[in-house]
Amino acid sequence: MRWACLVGGTGSNLRALIDDGAPIRLVISHKAGVGALEIARAAGIPQVVLPARQYPVREEYDAALLRILGEAGIEALVLAGFLRLLSDRVVDTYAGRAVNVHPSLLPAFPGLHAVRQALEYGVRVTGVSVHLVDRGLDSGPIIFQEAVSVRPDDTDETLSSRIHAVEHRLLPRAVRLLDAHRLEVQGRQVVIREE
Ligand code: GRF
C-alpha cells in the first residue's frame, strides 16, 4: 500500500519506519521546522506542512488533509507524533488502515504528555501502545503493547528514551502487518493472521 506518515516532532519513529523499508510515500507535518521533515527530506520522501493556524476549523483542516492524501494516492496512514485529533471524516476514510503509536499502556494516560502523566501519577510500569485509529482519543483497537518499567530516578527524558526504543521496534512491525493485510479486527481485538 501507499502510506503517509503524519508527524510533528523529532521524527525518530519515521526514521525507524524508513530504516525498516516501510513504503512511506508522503510525510505530513502539522508543524514547520521539525526534525521529522528533515528526515523525510534526507530520504527523498515528499513532504507537506499543514499548520493548524492555516485552517482554524478542524473540518477545513481535515478537508485539506484528505485532498492532499487523495492526490498522492495514499491508502494507509501511520501517525507518529501528529498532535492533532483527526476528524471523523478522515478516520472513516482510513478505517482499519491507520495506525498510531502512543507512549503509554493505553487506556492509561491518553492524550498529550503521556510520559509526564505517568511520572506524575507515580506508576511503576508504563509502556508503548500501537493501535488502530478510531474516532476517539488514543482509543482504537490495540495491535501491540509492551511494558517499560519506571525507575525511581527517571526524568521525562530518560523514560522517554527507553519508551522510544520500544516504539521503534513495535511501530514498523505493525505497519508491516497491516501492509500485508495480516491484521483482522474482531470487536476490540486485533487478530494477527498467520502468513
Ligand atoms: C512518540 O513518542 C509517539 O509515541 C508520540 O509522539 C512521539 C513522536 O516521536 N505519539 P518522534 O517524532 O517519532 O520521535
Side-chain angles (χ1 to χ4, degrees):
M1 288 194 280
R2 288 177 65 80
W3 286 75
C5 188
L6 273 51
V7 299
T10 60
S12 65
N13 281 287
L14 173 63
R15 159 97 282 143
L17 287 161
I18 293 169
D19 290 348
D20 194 61
I24 310 289
R25 302 292 176 245
L26 181 65
V27 168
I28 299 181
S29 176
H30 65 80
K31 210 168 158 190
V34 292
L37 290 168
E38 193 45 54
I39 289 168
R41 195 172 303 124
I45 300 172
Q47 50 185 278
V48 175
V49 179
L50 207 52
R53 64 177 185 286
Q54 206 172 313
Y55 303 94
V57 179
R58 176 168 316 144
E59 280 65 31
E60 287 173 17
Y61 186 94
D62 283 357
L65 183 61
L66 276 177
R67 182 168 36 74
I68 292 164
L69 294 169
E71 282 168 3
I74 297 301
E75 301 167 277
L77 307 179
V78 50
L79 279 61
F82 189 76
L83 302 182
R84 277 185 69 89
L85 194 61
L86 297 173
S87 68
D88 293 352
R89 236 181 104 199
V90 178
V91 172
D92 294 351
T93 303
Y94 288 94
R97 291 176 290 128
V99 177
N100 182 42
V101 59
H102 185 77
S104 76
L105 291 177
L106 292 168
F109 312 125
L112 294 177
H113 310 302
V115 176
R116 195 191 308 161
Q117 289 187 58
L119 283 171
E120 285 173 0
Y121 195 94
V123 292
R124 304 288 183 149
V125 176
T126 182
V128 172
S129 302
V130 177
H131 64 92
L132 291 168
V133 176
D134 70 3
R135 289 180 171 203
L137 174 65
D138 299 321
S139 61
I142 288 166
I143 304 168
F144 292 127
Q145 280 186 312
E146 190 171 309
V148 174
S149 292
V150 180
R151 297 174 185 157
D153 56 349
D154 259 331
T155 61
D156 209 317
E157 288 70 37
T158 58
L159 182 54
S160 291
S161 92
R162 294 202 308 287
I163 284 177
H164 266 108
V166 175
E167 291 182 345
H168 301 162
R169 193 157 35 74
L170 297 188
L171 186 61
R173 268 172 63 194
V175 165
R176 266 178 187 265
L177 288 169
L178 187 54
D179 194 60
H181 305 286
R182 288 182 54 202
L183 299 182
E184 192 180 310
V185 185
Q186 297 177 0
R188 285 288 317 169
Q189 314 290 324
V190 177
V191 178
I192 300 175
R193 276 202 297 259
E194 295 301 315
E195 270 179 296

